[in-house]
């Protein structure tokens, strides 16, 4: 059970690029279409279930600066419009919210920029 939870955590934290690569592997290697797999796992619709609203507001959480702290501070400064001291303080306080209530596209772009700098990031 712990292994499955760890695996689920890894899946949740995949970048958009990694999800795309995973979908390609599933299709080419195993003939599985990811959308079809999700329907098969979910099973048939039960009665008149209320439609699920898609989340439109995201928080970007810096879990860790990783080994390249200076690069992460620079990325936070640039993408959040903070001064150098404020960006450093935010990175030093990790885990911490970098930005709150932003669009999915902005959140994914910020997550990618921070991960490219070496940080460990989570979207909520």
């Amino acid at each position: 059970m712990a292994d499955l939870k760890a695996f689920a955590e890894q899946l949740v934290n995949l970048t958009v690029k990694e999800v795309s690569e995973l979908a390609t592997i599933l299709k080419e290697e195993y003939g599985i279409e990811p959308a079809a797999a999700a329907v098969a796992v979910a099973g048939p619709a039960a009665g008149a279930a209320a439609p699920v609203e898609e989340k439109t507001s995201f928080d970007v959480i810096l879990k860790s600066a990783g080994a390249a702290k200076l690069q992460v501070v620079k990325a936070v400064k640039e993408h959040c419009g903070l001064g150098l001291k404020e960006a450093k303080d935010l990175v030093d306080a990790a885990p911490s919210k970098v930005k709150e209530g932003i669009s999915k596209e902005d959140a994914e772009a910020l997550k990618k920029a921070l991960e490219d700098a070496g940080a460990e990031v989570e979207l909520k």
Side-chain angles (χ1 to χ4, degrees), residues 98-112:
V98 176
K99 275 199 171 178
E100 297 180 79
I102 60 175
S103 71
K104 182 177 182 177
E105 294 79 20
D106 290 343
E108 287 175 347
L110 178 56
K111 181 178 189 266
K112 181 178 180 345

Side-chain angles (χ1 to χ4, degrees), residues 44-120:
V52 177
E53 284 189 38
E54 185 174 339
K55 187 173 179 178
T56 58
S57 178
F58 293 84
D59 296 341
V60 178
I61 312 295
L62 176 67
K63 293 171 71 174
S64 145
K69 181 178 173 182
L70 181 58
Q71 290 177 322
V72 174
V73 169
K74 288 179 181 179
V76 168
K77 178 183 178 295
E78 177 184 334
H79 292 281
C80 298
L82 299 174
L84 187 58
K85 182 179 179 349
E86 291 85 5
K88 181 188 175 297
D89 290 346
L90 193 145
V91 171
D92 286 343
S96 57
K97 287 183 184 176
V98 176
K99 275 199 171 178
E100 297 180 79
I102 60 175
S103 71
K104 182 177 182 177
E105 294 79 20
D106 290 343
E108 287 175 347
L110 178 56
K111 181 178 189 266
K112 181 178 180 345
L114 294 174
E115 286 177 340
D116 288 348
E120 186 179 345

Side-chain angles (χ1 to χ4, degrees), residues 14-28 34:
L14 289 177
T15 64
V16 173
K17 181 180 177 187
E18 291 170 330
V19 170
S20 177
E21 290 172 0
L22 176 60
T24 301
I25 291 169
L26 288 172
K27 184 176 180 181
E28 291 175 357

